[in-house]
Amino acid sequence: APRPHQGLYCRTSWSQRGGSENLFTRGYGFYHPFVATMIQLTPHMRIFQCLEPVDFRNGIDGLAALCRLKLNQDPMSGALFIFINRPGKSLKLLVYDGQGFWLCQKRFSTGRVRFWPAKGGLLTVPQLQILLYNGNPANCAIPADWKKVASA
């Protein structure tokens, strides 16, 4: 299993992988249970959150429209966008990698999301990782990303 700081793992469909890697049964697009690709979370990545719950029947196009209309951001900018559903049991992440959109969903097995910010702002990568583990990033002591090195 990947460590949380290494990235987000998502299964890809046959069409996203190009279909020529022999990773799927006879190349017909069936999911292979052990095939995963990774979206790398880097410290300089911008992460926007939609504060209002959204209808999770929305797919990539619907969530991209919400990025433009509610967040006033370009969904093709390479930033990661995070959404919560009305019951608070699932999160969706949308990101554009230069070739296409990735849409990942995390549904919590038990309970609901314990923390969802009341006001906007950018999330940092450590805050997103804590949020994906259903923690409260506001209560965690996260060190600063950049520290000055003392002169010798």
Side-chain angles (χ1 to χ4, degrees):
R3 294 187 312 203
H5 69 274
Q6 289 179 323
L8 297 173
Y9 282 79
C10 300
R11 285 188 181 172
T12 60
S13 69
W14 176 71
S15 61
Q16 290 171 321
R17 297 289 301 202
S20 61
E21 288 92 1
N22 292 327
L23 297 175
F24 301 93
T25 307
R26 295 188 226 205
Y28 290 114
F30 299 116
Y31 282 111
H32 189 283
F34 302 110
V35 175
T37 49
M38 184 172 78
I39 299 172
Q40 186 67 36
L41 296 176
T42 59
H44 65 278
M45 182 175 270
R46 293 177 308 135
I47 303 169
F48 295 98
Q49 59 200 9
C50 185
L51 299 177
E52 300 173 15
V54 300
D55 185 357
F56 268 24
R57 292 177 290 183
N58 283 330
I60 290 172
D61 294 330
L63 294 176
L66 288 174
C67 294
R68 286 188 197 95
L69 298 174
K70 291 196 176 189
L71 301 175
N72 296 323
Q73 297 294 325
D74 179 15
M76 298 177 89
S77 66
L80 191 140
F81 298 91
I82 184 167
F83 304 92
I84 190 169
N85 67 345
R86 294 189 196 286
K89 294 183 178 186
S90 294
L91 299 174
K92 275 191 178 181
L93 292 100
L94 179 71
V95 67
Y96 184 78
D97 69 356
Q99 295 178 336
F101 282 97
W102 288 90
L103 181 61
C104 301
Q105 179 175 354
K106 174 148 188 180
R107 184 181 66 203
F108 295 100
S109 298
T110 59
R112 297 177 181 202
V113 176
R114 293 182 192 157
F115 171 80
W116 193 252
K119 58 182 181 177
L122 288 172
L123 285 176
T124 63
V125 171
Q127 289 173 330
L128 174 64
Q129 291 168 343
I130 292 166
L131 190 62
L132 290 174
Y133 276 93
N134 207 5
N136 184 345
N139 293 340
C140 294
I142 301 171
D145 287 337
W146 305 104
K147 293 185 180 181
K148 278 192 156 189
V149 178
S151 57

